[in-house]
Amino acid sequence: MTIDEIISFVGGLDGVLTLRPAPGDGTPEISWGDTFFYYAPDGAIPATRQPFATVVTKDCPGDEASRLDRPDTFRVNVAAGKEAFIRWTGHEPREPASAEADPSATDTVIAHPVYGAASWLAVVNPGERTEASVRELLRTAHESARSRHARRAESTTRRGPGR
């Protein structure tokens, strides 16, 4: 899978807002070249929600284990949820990952090297082995984000404005 294929796939899901920070748009330089996916059917950047998935293209301070400094290397990160996280890793999100999990391994689903405790999974350079799984994880994360959005909207409607 290429970055463009991932962006096209996720961007084709209902209500997705895709952000691609770049020079001159007011975003921090560290985010330039990365992609962030939000469930935002109104097209506005959510002020109180994190993206449900990201594509990162470079190492960040404290997050160098995936070795994204290699040529043509990127990582897909997915808010997988606890159930999917356990299914893929064999352990609870807050339990440490096994020593065998190499965060720089390509085409392998792993616990996110920094945000695994929050049930995030990651794949460096998804390929033939993980393409179907990455698509499934992205669809599931999107559906979870959509459901959270609907619950919040319903809760706000029940309380009424200004309450």
Side-chain angles (χ1 to χ4, degrees):
M1 294 182 86
T2 67
I3 292 174
D4 288 338
E5 288 172 333
I6 294 164
I7 291 170
S8 177
F9 174 75
V10 179
L13 299 172
D14 177 56
V16 171
L17 173 63
T18 302
L19 295 181
R20 298 183 79 178
D25 67 6
T27 57
E29 184 175 351
I30 192 76
S31 67
W32 297 349
D34 296 341
T35 307
F36 303 85
F37 302 104
Y38 294 88
Y39 182 76
D42 62 0
I45 299 169
T48 60
R49 285 177 289 178
Q50 296 295 316
F52 67 85
T54 65
V55 176
V56 295
T57 58
K58 64 198 145 319
D59 292 328
C60 292
D63 185 8
E64 299 90 3
S66 294
R67 298 188 41 238
L68 301 178
D69 57 344
R70 296 173 286 172
D72 302 315
T73 303
F74 67 95
R75 186 180 67 212
V76 178
N77 306 302
V78 183
K82 185 177 179 180
E83 183 179 306
F85 184 92
I86 292 169
R87 187 171 66 251
W88 279 99
T89 66
H91 65 84
E92 294 278 335
R94 296 201 183 270
E95 293 175 7
S98 67
E100 300 90 46
D102 175 3
S104 69
T106 60
D107 202 18
T108 304
V109 178
I110 62 165
H112 187 285
V114 176
Y115 300 111
S119 299
W120 281 70
L121 294 172
V123 180
V124 174
N125 288 9
E128 186 177 304
R129 197 170 58 227
T130 59
E131 179 175 0
S133 300
V134 167
R135 289 177 188 273
E136 174 192 338
L137 288 165
L138 289 166
R139 276 191 295 269
T140 300
H142 167 263
E143 179 56 30
S144 293
R146 189 200 61 72
S147 293
R148 280 190 304 277
H149 177 83
R151 283 191 306 274
R152 285 187 190 111
E154 184 179 307
S155 174
T156 302
T157 302
R158 277 188 300 210
R159 285 186 304 206
R163 290 187 184 175

